[in-house]
Amino acid sequence: MKLNVGGGFQKMDGYMNVDIHQTGITDIVHDIEKKLPFENETVDEIYSSHSLEHCSMNAVPEMLKDWNRVLRLDGRIHIIVPELEGCMRNFLNASEEERWGYRIEYIFGGQDHQVGQQSHKTGFTKARLQKLVENAGFQIDTLSIVANSCNDCLHLTGHKIKNI
């Protein structure tokens, strides 16, 4: 089984979408800050793109430990989140007019004009994401900063190496 955690409107072939809102492609409506509704070591892969930043800063470490719980040994994770330092640099280097569009949204979230939990409750640097993932029992295979059309994002892949 493969999970797209916080999948929103992104349907991926072969993945079960888990999201707090029924979006039409949501397979399981579930608050991802809570314990996932799966048995221990029953999931092969967890993909999470632009969802962890919408979760409480204090919830993220426990969420990652819960991902460890449901993943099989060597189960894969793939995480994509905005890279906070780059987002802040892009904001500060932009003109006053440019700051108050998507540049501020990458820091604080879209908030009132998008569906779902759009406020950003936390941010990630390369070092913070690495520490959180390793503390949750994962080995990082790749961790890079990737530019996209709006801002820089962190792309992490890894796998479970131990039970927490």
Side-chain angles (χ1 to χ4, degrees):
M1 174 175 23
K2 296 179 180 179
L3 304 178
N4 181 6
V5 176
F9 294 97
Q10 180 182 17
K11 184 64 177 169
M12 297 171 57
D13 286 340
Y15 287 78
M16 183 178 297
N17 270 18
V18 180
D19 199 90
I20 195 168
H21 294 284
Q22 178 53 257
T23 64
I25 61 168
T26 305
D27 297 303
I28 296 177
V29 176
H30 180 76
D31 180 350
I32 65 170
E33 286 191 15
K34 309 292 186 220
K35 183 178 175 182
L36 290 172
F38 302 100
E39 297 295 322
N40 296 354
E41 300 183 24
T42 56
V43 174
D44 299 306
E45 184 175 329
I46 294 177
Y47 177 87
S48 176
S49 179
H50 295 279
S51 56
L52 283 182
E53 67 272 17
H54 297 279
C55 300
S56 164
M57 177 172 46
N58 296 324
V60 171
E62 292 306 313
M63 290 171 61
L64 292 172
K65 289 176 185 173
D66 191 53
W67 293 6
N68 176 289
R69 176 188 66 81
V70 301
L71 279 170
R72 300 178 199 281
L73 191 60
D74 280 332
R76 313 274 317 146
I77 58 170
H78 186 175
I79 299 171
I80 302 170
V81 290
E83 196 276 318
L84 185 58
E85 290 176 348
C87 293
M88 293 171 72
R89 256 190 318 279
N90 288 342
F91 175 82
L92 292 171
N93 292 333
S95 70
E96 185 64 19
E97 184 177 320
E98 289 176 318
R99 286 180 174 180
W100 303 105
Y102 72 85
R103 293 184 192 274
I104 194 68
E105 288 184 7
Y106 258 71
I107 298 169
F108 292 111
Q111 300 186 15
D112 63 355
H113 71 279
Q114 298 174 1
V115 174
Q117 303 278 80
Q118 290 303 313
S119 295
H120 289 183
K121 298 177 184 177
T122 192
F124 298 92
T125 61
K126 198 172 183 179
R128 179 171 185 248
L129 185 59
Q130 178 177 346
K131 180 179 178 183
L132 289 169
V133 166
E134 288 175 346
N135 286 348
F138 296 99
Q139 180 175 314
I140 295 171
D141 299 320
T142 64
L143 176 54
S144 57
I145 298 173
V146 177
N148 69 21
S149 61
C150 298
N151 264 303
D152 295 342
C153 295
L154 293 167
H155 285 240
L156 180 143
T157 62
H159 63 278
K160 177 178 173 175
I161 57 171
K162 62 182 175 182
N163 290 323
I164 295 294

